[in-house]
Amino acid sequence: AQSVTQLDSQVPVFEEAPVELRCNYSSSVSVYLFWYVQYPNQGLQLLLKYLSGSTLVKGINGFEAEFNKSQTSFHLRKPSVHISDTAEYFCAVSRGGGFKTIFGAGTRLFVKA
Amino acid sequence: KAGVTQTPRYLIKTRGQQVTLSCSPISGHRSVSWYQQTPGQGLQFLFEYFSETQRNKGNFPGRFSGRQFSNSRSEMNVSTLELGDSALYLCASSVATSGTSGDNEQFFGPGTRLTVL
């Protein structure tokens, strides 16, 4: 079975500072990896996904994530955050179509002026 | 292309009542998944429907049920509501096939916020 651990429940950071949101997963088979963002009172929106190939994945809004197979990690990064990045971020894994997607508990990013 | 729509957006019910939530997936998407989101438990998977059949199921009691229609629209029903059922219920659709190909990227609706008094 797959599982996802998001190591930080909350991450406060100042505007224009860099940020890293950590995600570790466990799986005995190859999986697809995702980061989703949820703004207040909205559903989740895909930021980026890793399917195969290059381990550095670029997504929307200036976010990127790096897949590290040996450490089973998929950390999300942004070099300079904005107030508007304040939201909850979810890491997720899936074996693909036909299998359910497993979500982490979420990391609340709070960007301060 | 229109996104995933959910109705109603807000709902208030009392204990013991039942409720039906509706989800219309993105056109062409055949898989619909339902999730319950609460501050304490996070995002929990309820079930997934594909071609009118329940394909995956989470660990929820039988009071939670769903169905999918031939046009891929889906409904979920909660009977005998409890206070703990208060949550945001999210629906997500994906481009899925009958096999296991594809990455299963989920496209989410805005959710239905259910409050049980």
Side-chain angles (χ1 to χ4, degrees), chain A:
Chain A
Q2 294 82 47
S3 67
V4 180
T5 302
Q6 291 186 242
L7 298 161
D8 307 292
S9 59
Q10 294 187 67
V11 173
V13 63
F14 285 103
E15 193 175 19
E16 297 183 8
V19 70
E20 178 180 80
L21 306 184
R22 298 179 292 168
C23 172
N24 285 98
Y25 70 95
S26 68
S27 177
S28 57
V29 299
S30 295
V31 292
Y32 301 105
L33 296 160
F34 306 85
W35 275 99
Y36 288 86
V37 60
Q38 185 180 31
Y39 299 103
N41 299 314
Q42 295 185 28
L44 279 67
Q45 175 186 1
L46 182 72
L47 272 178
L48 49 79
K49 60 184 177 183
Y50 174 78
L51 308 181
S52 64
S54 173
T55 57
L56 184 63
V57 181
K58 293 192 182 296
I60 62 171
N61 301 341
F63 284 93
E64 62 182 33
E66 185 155 20
F67 170 63
N68 188 317
K69 188 175 182 178
S70 62
Q71 297 188 6
T72 60
S73 68
F74 190 54
H75 300 335
L76 180 71
R77 302 185 183 103
K78 185 169 183 178
S80 175
V81 294
H82 303 289
I83 297 287
S84 59
D85 291 323
T86 294
E88 187 148 24
Y89 293 78
F90 293 90
C91 181
V93 300
S94 172
R95 287 179 61 183
F99 298 97
K100 62 184 181 182
T101 299
I102 308 298
F103 286 85
T107 297
R108 189 169 297 277
L109 175 64
F110 180 59
V111 182
K112 302 176 284 186

Side-chain angles (χ1 to χ4, degrees), chain B residues 83-100:
Chain B
L83 294 179
D85 296 333
S86 293
L88 181 66
Y89 289 87
L90 292 164
C91 165
S93 70
S94 67
V95 176
T97 66
S98 56
T100 58

